[in-house]
Amino acid sequence: MSTGEIASSLAALPHFRSLEPAILERIAATCVLSTYRSRAPIFRQDDPCRGFFVIRAGRVRLFRSMPDGREHVVHSLREGQSFAEAALFNFGSYPVSAEAVANPTEIIEVQGRPFLELFYSERRIAAAMVGSLCVRLLSLVQRVDELSATSAAARLARHLLHMPSRGTPITVELSTSKRELARLLSITPETLSRLLRSWREGGMLRTEGRKLVLLDVAQIATIADGG
Amino acid sequence: MSTGEIASSLAALPHFRSLEPAILERIAATCVLSTYRSRAPIFRQDDPCRGFFVIRAGRVRLFRSMPDGREHVVHSLREGQSFAEAALFNFGSYPVSAEAVANPTEIIEVQGRPFLELFYSERRIAAAMVGSLCVRLLSLVQRVDELSATSAAARLARHLLHMPSRGTPITVELSTSKRELARLLSITPETLSRLLRSWREGGMLRTEGRKLVLLDVAQIATIADGG
DNA sequence: CGATATGTTGAAGTTAATCAAATCTTGTGG
DNA sequence: CCACAAGATTTGATTAACTTCAACATATCG
């Protein structure tokens, strides 16, 4: 993998989209590309921070490990997304663990030290970074919003309405398994399955594998608001 | 309140601590200081963004309003913390509402337009802002972690363990009313009250008004992990 | 094709929200 | 400084919702 190819991957990121090719090349020169198998750890909670990461292919999940072995998914990320920038600018360690969930998963690692030097000498990088951090913040606010809903039905409804959708009637495509979606919403897979069935039987949606066709958006919105 | 006094307030903040006095003065010159009474709105969800804010004294809560009139607390902030930086950079409007919860609450408002000019001309300000956005990102990750707990008991336990604490045995001081804490955890005040009573009766903690003395941290940690 | 993980369904048991009401605190105006 | 009003906290009884446990079906990977 050449520096040029890494640069073109970086160019597709919201982070760096606005940057000129020359700057991208300089960032790319600080990067390392690695390939992970499903389940392979990228870093562990409390590891010292060595840089941040960009997903070139595959999927990654960020989670917190509990002493009893249970895990809480903080975020589920896919191709074209980046993670762990926060750790880099806070000097410390990673607040979560990260592991690949697709096989293979290709990760661009942006090395911390050389990247920071570039960051301080090129203000356009700072502006771009700020913008993408803001997007992440908004999506976390939405997660809090989803999790704050008292009922499982409202959480699911809210999540579906937040998801990117296409077409008429509105169709959303799950990028993860339903099990993973259940974990994201902090409900059990059984409850998720039962909710989908009851909505299907009520004519509110149609399920085709991982595609969900929302037939009655108004009703789903009502449920999202606690109705 | 003179510009100089605002500058010295700003100097005490984590986000601006690393900046030189001359830069602080320039930032301070763009600021307005206001005093709010408890319950007074600072801005409302979807208001056009006019700047970001720093809490000089008092408490602020950020929340989202639901169509049915209920509110979800996204964040509860105290003296020395800032908020709405993200809105300044990314969105034309605030994604949440903010209101004072202590009487009086003093807020430094950093005016958006002049601050942005400084941001683009002084790279140290940019670095400081990236750092503060990262702090906000981490604390939201922590909020998501708390809210991801399935049981009310686990949410409370996790929150107590996340809170700043002092002394032996460990004592945490609520910076808000219990009602407000319940809102933050998305549980009802009744459930919070019952939890505290049962933990008190089980010898796990002692309550002294807003001070909570954690007598059995190991047990609380077990509950936090879903035990 | 066998093994492993995911998805679905049923029954039973817990949990926490809701509704109602009493007591305690706090802030405010006189 | 006191008395009152408004809000906060606590407690009880009831109800609806969700998890748990168990069994089976289906899909995916090596």
Side-chain angles (χ1 to χ4, degrees):
Chain A
M1 171 69 49
S2 73
T3 296
E5 286 174 274
I6 291 179
S8 67
S9 283
L10 295 178
L13 293 176
H15 260 56
F16 298 134
R17 191 164 291 158
S18 57
L19 297 178
E20 296 156 12
I23 298 178
L24 285 171
E25 287 281 341
R26 290 168 64 194
I27 296 174
T30 74
C31 295
V32 171
L33 182 77
S34 312
T35 302
Y36 297 83
R37 300 176 68 78
S38 183
R39 293 298 188 91
I42 298 165
F43 55 75
R44 297 229 167 275
Q45 190 170 330
D46 300 324
D47 277 359
C49 175
R50 58 181 197 269
F52 74 91
F53 303 84
V54 175
I55 306 174
R56 216 177 108 84
R59 278 199 306 280
V60 168
R61 80 156 172 251
L62 306 184
F63 60 97
R64 294 175 75 92
S65 301
M66 302 297 142
D68 66 359
R70 293 171 15 145
E71 295 171 354
H72 286 132
V73 176
V74 173
H75 229 92
S76 190
L77 301 160
R78 67 178 100 173
E79 177 180 328
Q81 297 186 295
S82 60
F83 55 99
E85 312 87 327
L88 179 61
F89 282 89
N90 278 325
F91 309 118
S93 46
Y94 298 109
V96 297
S97 300
E99 69 178 33
V101 293
N103 207 353
T105 292
E106 291 177 26
I107 303 286
I108 298 170
E109 177 179 338
V110 184
Q111 307 279 323
R113 193 171 294 276
F115 177 77
L116 281 178
E117 282 171 23
L118 269 179
F119 177 89
Y120 283 116
S121 64
E122 268 294 343
R123 71 175 54 107
R124 315 189 63 157
I125 295 178
M129 293 282 299
V130 166
S132 82
L133 281 171
C134 290
V135 170
R136 293 277 309 286
L137 275 171
L138 184 62
S139 85
L140 277 178
V141 167
Q142 273 176 356
R143 283 294 316 283
V144 169
D145 203 39
E146 287 166 12
L147 292 172
S148 295
T150 50
S151 78
R155 287 210 281 266
L156 173 59
R158 230 172 263 190
H159 186 78
L160 292 181
L161 296 176
H162 280 157
M163 284 185 72
S165 59
R166 286 175 310 129
T168 310
I170 288 175
T171 301
V172 301
E173 171 127 26
L174 302 181
S175 63
T176 65
S177 67
K178 286 176 183 149
R179 174 176 284 263
E180 197 68 27
L181 172 61
R183 270 194 273 204
L184 198 66
L185 298 174
S186 272
I187 63 180
T188 58
E190 293 96 322
T191 297
L192 174 60
S193 178
R194 278 185 262 262
L195 279 172
L196 288 177
R197 177 170 66 143
S198 99
W199 291 3
R200 203 186 310 128
E201 288 173 351
M204 292 164 51
L205 56 71
R206 219 169 45 235
T207 59
E208 301 164 4
R210 285 183 177 177
K211 267 212 268 294
L212 303 182
V213 184
L214 312 185
L215 301 173
D216 189 345
V217 176
Q219 175 103 41
I220 292 174
T222 302
I223 292 171
D225 296 337
Chain B
M1 171 68 51
S2 74
T3 296
E5 286 175 274
I6 291 178
S8 66
S9 281
L10 294 178
L13 301 175
H15 328 303
F16 296 128
R17 190 163 291 159
S18 57
L19 297 180
E20 295 152 15
I23 297 178
L24 283 172
E25 286 282 341
R26 289 170 64 193
I27 296 175
T30 75
C31 293
V32 172
L33 183 78
S34 312
T35 301
Y36 296 84
R37 300 176 66 78
S38 183
R39 294 297 190 90
I42 298 165
F43 55 77
R44 297 230 167 275
Q45 190 170 330
D46 300 326
D47 276 359
C49 175
R50 58 183 197 268
F52 75 92
F53 303 83
V54 174
I55 306 174
R56 214 176 106 86
R59 308 247 183 280
V60 169
R61 81 154 170 255
L62 306 184
F63 61 97
R64 285 168 75 88
S65 301
M66 301 294 126
D68 65 1
R70 288 153 51 129
E71 295 170 355
H72 289 149
V73 175
V74 173
H75 230 104
S76 186
L77 301 162
R78 68 179 78 185
E79 177 180 327
Q81 297 186 294
S82 61
F83 56 98
E85 309 92 326
L88 180 61
F89 287 96
N90 232 31
F91 322 111
S93 55
Y94 299 110
V96 297
S97 301
E99 70 179 32
V101 293
N103 207 354
T105 292
E106 292 177 26
I107 302 286
I108 299 170
E109 177 180 337
V110 184
Q111 306 281 322
R113 195 170 295 276
F115 179 79
L116 280 179
E117 284 169 21
L118 276 176
F119 174 87
Y120 287 114
S121 64
E122 271 291 345
R123 72 183 51 136
R124 313 194 58 158
I125 292 179
M129 285 304 291
V130 170
S132 89
L133 288 172
C134 288
V135 168
R136 175 75 1 98
L137 201 60
L138 288 178
S139 71
L140 266 180
V141 166
Q142 206 171 59
R143 291 268 305 124
V144 168
D145 184 49
E146 286 168 13
L147 292 173
S148 295
T150 50
S151 77
R155 281 191 215 176
L156 174 59
R158 238 176 251 195
H159 186 77
L160 292 181
L161 297 176
H162 280 157
M163 284 184 73
S165 59
R166 285 176 311 132
T168 310
I170 289 175
T171 301
V172 302
E173 173 127 26
L174 302 181
S175 62
T176 65
S177 69
K178 289 180 181 139
R179 170 178 281 267
E180 197 63 31
L181 172 61
R183 272 196 269 207
L184 196 66
L185 298 174
S186 269
I187 63 181
T188 59
E190 292 96 323
T191 296
L192 174 60
S193 178
R194 280 185 259 264
L195 280 171
L196 288 176
R197 176 169 67 142
S198 99
W199 290 5
R200 202 185 311 126
E201 288 172 350
M204 291 164 53
L205 55 71
R206 220 169 43 233
T207 59
E208 300 164 6
R210 284 185 179 177
K211 267 212 266 297
L212 303 182
V213 184
L214 311 186
L215 300 174
D216 188 346
V217 176
Q219 175 105 42
I220 293 173
T222 302
I223 292 170
D225 297 336

